Amino acid sequence: MTFNIASHGYKDDFCLPEQGSYLLSHSVGRPLKSAQQAFSEDFFNPWQEDNAEPWQHWLKSIELFQSALGQLFNHSPECFCPQVNLSSALCKLVMSHPRLTKPSAKILMSELDFPSMGYALRQALPQCQFVFIPNELDITSLEVWNRHLSEELDLVFISQVYSNSGQQAPVNSVVAATKQLGVLSVVDVAQSAGLLALDLTETEPDFMVGSSVKWLCSGPGAAYLWVHPKQIADCEPKDVGWFSHENPFEFDIHQFRYHHGVLRFWGGTPSVAPFVLAAHSIHYINRLPIGLIRQHNLRLLSMLHNAFAAQIVSPKEPSQCSGTAILQFGDGQNRVIEALKAAKISVDVRSLGIRVSPHIYNDEADIEQLIAVIHNAA
Ligand SMILES: Cc1ncc(COP(=O)(O)O)c(C=O)c1O
């Protein structure tokens, strides 16, 4: 089944530049037009207008954020703990787990993972041994993963997709393999949440970290940590606060007891504003027909694959590609970049090439224009 995006008017739901096109959803997704009103209603109004303190209303928004994530990832809302960003979530997580803080712990990750993930892990676990899958190996291949997996590992870090190479890891199979080996797994969905499905009930990794700033169009600051219920009891976070307490209102400075669930990772007084925006926008995304964003994304990516077969350096197979096409024009690269800039087509450039990420608010006309501008320049 194919969808006609134009006839559904999804594009009209988003704030978009008046000229040119925006193809940077791998960096920051566009806000919904309704976001400002939702923010006023759920953040400012209870603060400005009500006589009572706004916490009750604000905490309701955080519950809405958790329930939106529950629906998106098909798991219980209570298993998601709000976090500021992935680096911080990851740091808290690994420092909390006895299997990872022991002197001989060993972690497998990829050189293609987002660098901040490596920084956080290494600083949090200075005693740990790190093994990296080299970036020249094909991270989309289960065979490559299998060559690096072993019972000696304690944790495997898996990015569902890789921002700078446009590749997709075989997440479900890698997680299944870690389970067979008795190794912990953590999945990073920063670059895929809202675009690619991850069914936590089916895949059951041990942990997942993500944010809402990219395909979920929610702005920065609304990140999350998901912990499998069977792992909770083993996690004893060091970075805690009264919202991590079993009873935040007990107020006995001599008594700290962990919250029974994942909220033990919450910490002190939580931020609220990013989660109000994210609850609104993830609920919008959840109401779209299942698979619509990816289906539309693949359709627009295939226009790029057809137009630039030789210049696309990211995978073309739907099971291997992220939402981003990466284009490399060699000597013509700077001319292409300048021409796109002049045409107000927003893309960015990393070591492998120009990154182009079509979301639901892009259409065929955006991609046709981009192709025409590149053809004129290259
Ligand atoms: C795969 C991946 N992980 C993590 C991050 C960001 O991590 P943090 O929220 O700590 O900045 C990004 C940012 O682009 C990313 O692409």
Side-chain angles (χ1 to χ4, degrees), residues 86-338:
L86 281 89
S87 310
S88 162
L90 192 58
C91 183
K92 289 182 186 186
L93 171 67
V94 297
M95 288 179 75
S96 81
H97 204 287
R99 181 154 178 197
L100 304 174
T101 50
K102 68 179 183 188
S104 57
K106 198 168 172 184
I107 296 185
L108 175 68
M109 57 193 307
S110 162
E111 284 181 333
L112 289 168
D113 288 316
F114 193 70
S116 195
M117 304 297 93
Y119 306 154
L121 285 172
R122 281 191 143 150
Q123 294 305 310
L125 300 174
Q127 81 300 339
C128 186
Q129 190 191 337
F130 286 87
V131 181
F132 286 87
I133 300 180
N135 59 16
E136 61 273 14
L137 297 186
D138 180 5
I139 202 72
T140 69
S141 153
L142 181 59
E143 200 264 319
V144 165
W145 282 94
N146 280 337
R147 260 191 273 149
H148 291 83
L149 290 171
S150 81
E151 282 169 357
E152 281 169 28
L153 294 166
D154 293 288
L155 176 73
V156 176
F157 184 93
I158 313 153
S159 295
Q160 189 172 18
V161 304
Y162 298 87
S163 59
N164 289 338
S165 65
Q167 289 169 298
Q168 187 185 149
V171 173
N172 293 338
S173 309
V174 177
V175 171
T178 61
K179 278 194 234 178
Q180 292 225 321
L181 294 166
V183 174
L184 297 171
S185 58
V186 55
V187 181
D188 170 347
V189 295
Q191 194 58 247
S192 51
L195 173 77
L196 295 183
L198 181 69
D199 184 325
L200 289 172
T201 301
E202 195 183 296
T203 305
E204 285 197 303
D206 293 294
F207 314 105
M208 184 187 82
V209 284
S211 63
S212 315
V213 62
K214 300 170 190 298
W215 302 88
L216 290 173
C217 301
S218 304
Y224 39 90
L225 165 65
W226 175 88
V227 177
H228 193 290
K230 72 173 192 279
Q231 289 297 338
I232 290 287
D234 283 343
C235 294
E236 299 196 335
K238 307 289 176 289
D239 180 345
V240 295
W242 59 309
F243 277 72
S244 311
H245 197 289
E246 185 184 43
N247 174 11
F249 293 93
E250 189 173 280
F251 292 137
D252 175 352
I253 199 164
H254 300 294
Q255 293 292 330
F256 176 77
R257 295 183 310 283
Y258 283 114
H259 185 282
H260 62 89
V262 70
L263 292 186
R264 62 183 56 192
F265 284 99
W266 209 355
T269 307
S271 67
V272 175
F275 302 102
V276 170
L277 284 170
H280 177 69
S281 142
I282 302 171
H283 276 294
Y284 171 91
I285 301 253
N286 283 341
R287 284 195 298 271
L288 298 176
I290 291 170
L292 170 70
I293 295 178
R294 178 56 164 171
Q295 190 177 347
H296 182 64
N297 165 261
L298 285 174
R299 190 138 45 91
L300 300 193
L301 286 182
S302 73
M303 289 172 69
L304 293 170
H305 297 162
N306 292 338
F308 304 114
Q311 289 86 13
I312 297 269
V313 294
S314 48
K316 299 192 178 75
E317 276 297 307
S319 64
Q320 294 178 352
C321 70
S322 73
T324 305
I326 303 189
L327 296 146
Q328 179 52 257
F329 292 91
D331 291 346
Q333 188 82 335
N334 285 341
R335 270 200 316 281
V336 168
I337 293 165
E338 287 310 311

Side-chain angles (χ1 to χ4, degrees), residues 339-351:
L340 291 170
K341 209 154 134 195
K344 295 196 180 343
I345 297 175
S346 299
V347 295
D348 65 12
V349 186
R350 288 290 181 273
S351 59

Side-chain angles (χ1 to χ4, degrees), residues 346-365:
S346 299
V347 295
D348 65 12
V349 186
R350 288 290 181 273
S351 59
L352 289 181
I354 301 169
R355 301 194 294 181
V356 182
S357 298
H359 205 326
I360 193 178
Y361 42 70
N362 300 112
D363 58 16
E364 282 79 359

